[in-house]
Amino acid sequence: MNPKKFFPIRTALLFTVLLPFAVLDSFGKDQKIAHSMTETAQELISSLGPKKTAELVYEFENSSREHWHFFPNWSGRKGIPLSQFSKKQKVIIKELLNLLLTSEAFQEQENIRLIHGLRKDLSDPNNPMNLYYLSIFGSPSTNRNWGWRFEGHHLSLNCTLADGKLFSVTPSFWGSSPVRANDGDGHKIEVFEDEQKISLSLVKSLTKGQKLKAELNRSKGPQATSKIFREDIHNDQGLLLSELNSKQQELLRRLIFAFAQKYRPEILDQVDQRKPIMDTNAIRFSYRPTSKPYISYFRILSNEYLIEYDNQGGNHIHAVWRDFDGDFGRDLIKQHLTKENHP
């Protein structure tokens, strides 16, 4: 799969981040990412004393690994906030994030944090943009299960490496309130611009008959649950990909990859080879009708994945990508245990 042929990503950035690991060979690209991610996490851990290490690193089996939330001051959040890391350690954390995310997605999380930080003094170490927590689960290794999470207000990035090499990147939650702001230096910031424009274009293109099939009467919006269940969702609702014309199908593909392409192509290709992101026989699109000039809610459902987007009042967005069987690498870990028990 080459998702870029479906969704050319914008390249405008507010900041430049230089990565010493940016140039990778074309062979075993995902494994080089996994190896670099392990080394980067190990470097961060080695820079901490025993007390801080205990705050950052938990057993892989710790139940909190599968407990996440997007609230700003959630009491269940584990790890260490950015405000408590040194400048050098923050550089290491940036490297870790850049190994997971595309440069555009890295900038998006920077903008999400900045938007929340603009409400207070940016020079304050405890500014909300610095209250995003990093936690590591298991000992970073190239042959054992481990993972990490970067999380705070309107953001939860969960990366699991089964056997130290097989990636899971869900739950993947991104949100913001507001979605448009001025950074104080005359620069405008906007997040979720593509998701808003593409979803609106898709719904506007639907015929009356298509809208009747795609419309939802009610929706909860993304929930910060540890696990999602297929039986909780009416999978017969919505328009199948095959019921869309070619232009509409292209818009839906672009919308799907607006979520999936936040992650580096080396990682995304590995995920897609195991479990296709574009399951053309099963994908369904549905949305909540509104008289507003924006899409207030849409859902993209397949046999394996769930994408949800909720826009509250046009300027407060929650968006999530989930994997029914594979959130937190559950399916990969299950395979790992099966292999261990059946040599």
Side-chain angles (χ1 to χ4, degrees):
M1 179 203 71
N2 180 10
K4 288 187 182 292
K5 68 183 179 182
F6 294 132
F7 182 52
I9 302 180
R10 291 176 290 112
T11 58
L13 301 179
L14 293 181
F15 305 94
T16 300
V17 180
L18 299 178
L19 303 178
F21 45 77
V23 179
L24 297 169
D25 295 334
S26 59
F27 299 101
K29 295 175 288 186
D30 56 335
Q31 297 312 300
K32 292 192 176 188
I33 293 288
H35 184 77
S36 294
M37 195 174 283
T38 298
E39 288 187 335
T40 302
Q42 289 172 341
E43 181 184 1
L44 179 63
I45 293 170
S46 67
S47 73
L48 299 171
K51 182 179 179 181
K52 284 297 182 184
T53 298
E55 293 177 19
L56 178 69
V57 183
Y58 299 82
E59 295 292 332
F60 185 76
E61 295 78 13
N62 191 294
S63 62
S64 65
R65 186 176 72 86
E66 297 188 8
H67 294 162
W68 65 280
H69 219 295
F70 50 84
F71 285 177
N73 299 307
W74 184 51
S75 62
R77 187 162 291 132
K78 302 293 185 182
I80 301 176
L82 288 176
S83 59
Q84 295 183 19
F85 287 104
S86 68
K87 288 184 178 180
K88 183 177 179 180
Q89 290 166 341
K90 287 178 182 177
V91 170
I92 299 173
I93 294 170
K94 281 188 176 182
E95 291 182 1
L96 193 62
L97 286 167
N98 273 289
L99 282 166
L100 178 67
L101 304 172
T102 64
S103 58
E104 294 82 6
F106 174 84
Q107 188 57 51
E108 186 174 10
Q109 68 81 28
E110 290 277 282
N111 288 343
I112 287 171
R113 293 193 300 109
L114 177 59
I115 285 172
H116 292 106
L118 287 170
R119 300 166 180 172
K120 296 189 177 180
D121 182 3
L122 291 175
S123 64
D124 185 347
N126 291 315
N127 180 279
M129 73 176 298
N130 295 318
L131 300 181
Y132 286 74
Y133 286 64
L134 180 71
S135 49
I136 295 175
F137 300 92
S139 177
S141 165
T142 56
N143 57 20
R144 293 191 301 272
N145 298 333
W146 73 283
W148 57 278
R149 173 163 54 238
F150 185 70
E151 182 180 89
H153 193 191
H154 282 135
L155 193 68
S156 184
L157 309 180
N158 296 276
C159 179
T160 305
L161 292 95
D163 294 329
K165 59 180 71 71
L166 298 177
F167 285 96
S168 167
V169 294
T170 58
S172 172
F173 182 95
W174 301 68
S176 188
S177 176
V179 297
R180 292 171 292 275
N182 188 307
D183 69 357
D185 293 326
H187 301 117
K188 292 183 178 179
I189 306 170
E190 182 169 358
V191 290
F192 298 103
E193 187 175 4
D194 292 307
E195 291 89 336
Q196 294 181 80
K197 287 182 177 179
I198 297 169
S199 60
L200 186 60
S201 295
L202 176 56
V203 170
K204 282 185 174 182
S205 76
L206 298 177
T207 66
K208 184 177 180 180
Q210 287 176 320
K211 286 180 178 179
L212 286 174
K213 291 198 69 173
E215 288 179 356
L216 292 170
N217 292 326
R218 63 179 66 182
S219 56
K220 293 181 179 178
Q223 303 294 306
T225 55
S226 175
K227 186 174 175 58
I228 56 173
F229 300 91
R230 292 178 178 87
E231 52 267 31
D232 291 340
I233 300 171
H234 298 292
N235 60 8
D236 58 342
Q237 290 183 327
L239 278 169
L240 284 167
L241 184 70
S242 59
E243 295 175 309
L244 302 175
N245 64 37
S246 60
K247 290 183 179 180
Q248 293 168 335
Q249 288 181 7
E250 177 64 15
L251 287 170
L252 185 52
R253 288 188 181 98
R254 290 175 60 196
L255 195 53
I256 290 169
F257 285 112
F259 287 79
Q261 275 191 324
K262 295 182 187 300
Y263 297 92
R264 289 184 63 148
E266 300 92 337
I267 296 173
L268 197 60
D269 284 347
Q270 188 205 90
V271 171
D272 183 71
Q273 287 173 21
R274 285 198 315 267
K275 192 180 297 185
I277 296 167
M278 282 301 301
D279 185 352
T280 57
N281 294 319
I283 290 174
R284 289 180 181 269
F285 173 79
S286 53
Y287 74 103
R288 185 173 61 217
T290 178
S291 59
K292 305 295 184 181
Y294 56 86
I295 305 305
S296 62
Y297 175 87
F298 69 77
R299 183 177 76 196
I300 303 171
L301 178 68
S302 71
N303 290 332
E304 303 294 344
Y305 301 108
L306 171 67
I307 289 173
E308 284 189 289
Y309 165 100
D310 190 37
N311 188 345
Q312 304 170 27
N315 205 24
H316 185 173
I317 290 175
H318 292 171
V320 71
W321 179 28
R322 304 292 302 260
D323 182 331
F324 285 106
D325 298 321
D327 275 353
F328 303 104
R330 286 193 188 96
D331 52 353
L332 299 173
I333 295 164
K334 184 177 180 180
Q335 292 171 14
H336 170 89
L337 294 174
T338 300
K339 188 188 301 182
E340 280 191 340
N341 294 330
H342 297 85

